[in-house]
């Protein structure tokens, strides 16, 4: 069992262990445990980042900063899944997504997290917000897969013209 090796983990590998445990909980669909472990992982990463000396390479520090962003993304994902049991988790998922968006480099937006945001807004029945995110992905970044999310939003808004237009765009961009 993965928890049995925790006493054997060295201080240098503590953050990596917590990251692996977080991912293991996600893969096991134990979203409450993954949510908790992701927060613990983030704290371990922040301690590790703070311990870097100035002369150490920025490459390792950058990797750990990316892992912090990943831990927040995982919390957003888990909250999105838990939102089906308790709608308050959907709100928390959006908060985590907004943190990830703030952490993203300005020239490298997080497309996957934006798609997830559009889906969570659909699940929250906030169709206009979902549509806004989807259209931003399409118009600003040419992420044409967002037409599928937009089509769902239009469908739930009972907008037949929007459904048909998005369906046409899906066929146009993904003919196979």
């Amino acid at each position: 069992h993965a928890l049995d090796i925790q006493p054997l983990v060295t201080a240098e590998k503590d953050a990596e262990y917590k990251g692996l445990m977080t991912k293991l909980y996600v893969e096991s669909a134990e979203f409450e445990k993954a949510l908790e472990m992701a927060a613990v992982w983030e704290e371990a990463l922040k301690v590790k980042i703070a311990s870097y000396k100035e002369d150490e390479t920025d490459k390792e520090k950058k990797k750990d900063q990316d892992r912090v962003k990943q831990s927040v993304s995982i919390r957003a994902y888990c909250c999105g899944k838990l939102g089906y049991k308790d709608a308050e988790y959907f709100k928390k998922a959006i908060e985590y997504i907004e943190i990830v968006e703030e952490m993203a480099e300005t020239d490298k937006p997080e497309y996957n997290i934006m798609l997830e945001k559009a889906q969570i807004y659909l699940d929250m029945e906030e169709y206009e917000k979902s549509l806004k995110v989807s259209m931003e992905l399409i118009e600003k970044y040419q992420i044409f897969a967002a037409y599928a999310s937009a089509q769902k939003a239009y469908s739930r808004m009972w907008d037949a013209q929007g459904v048909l237009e998005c369906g046409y765009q899906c066929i146009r961009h993904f003919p196979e």
Side-chain angles (χ1 to χ4, degrees), residues 8-102:
L8 305 174
V9 175
T10 62
E12 302 86 47
K13 297 293 182 185
D14 184 57
E16 287 80 0
Y17 169 77
K18 290 173 179 165
L20 290 172
M21 287 301 300
T22 299
K23 294 170 188 176
L24 180 65
Y25 285 136
V26 170
E27 289 300 315
S28 301
E30 294 185 53
F31 300 117
E32 292 95 346
K33 289 181 181 180
L35 195 56
E36 291 172 22
M37 186 57 76
V40 172
W41 179 31
E42 180 180 347
E43 287 307 310
L45 287 166
K46 287 180 177 178
V47 167
K48 187 176 175 187
I49 291 167
S51 73
Y52 282 117
K53 296 176 178 70
E54 281 188 40
D55 60 337
E56 290 184 291
T57 65
D58 284 338
K59 189 176 181 180
E60 281 303 310
K61 188 175 183 178
K62 173 80 172 100
K63 283 183 183 179
D64 284 332
Q65 289 168 332
D66 286 343
R67 289 180 183 115
V68 168
K69 185 169 52 173
Q70 184 181 19
S71 75
V72 179
S73 295
I74 288 171
R75 283 189 276 172
Y77 175 79
C78 291
C79 285
K81 294 296 184 189
L82 292 168
Y84 296 106
K85 292 181 182 178
D86 179 353
E88 287 300 310
Y89 279 109
F90 284 139
K91 293 176 187 172
K92 197 72 177 153
I94 295 296
E95 289 174 20
Y96 286 129
I97 287 170
E98 289 171 352
I99 292 168
V100 172
E101 289 174 333
E102 289 172 14

Side-chain angles (χ1 to χ4, degrees), residues 98-111:
E98 289 171 352
I99 292 168
V100 172
E101 289 174 333
E102 289 172 14
M103 297 170 85
E105 297 174 31
T106 53
D107 62 332
K108 288 179 163 182
E110 298 286 330
Y111 306 123

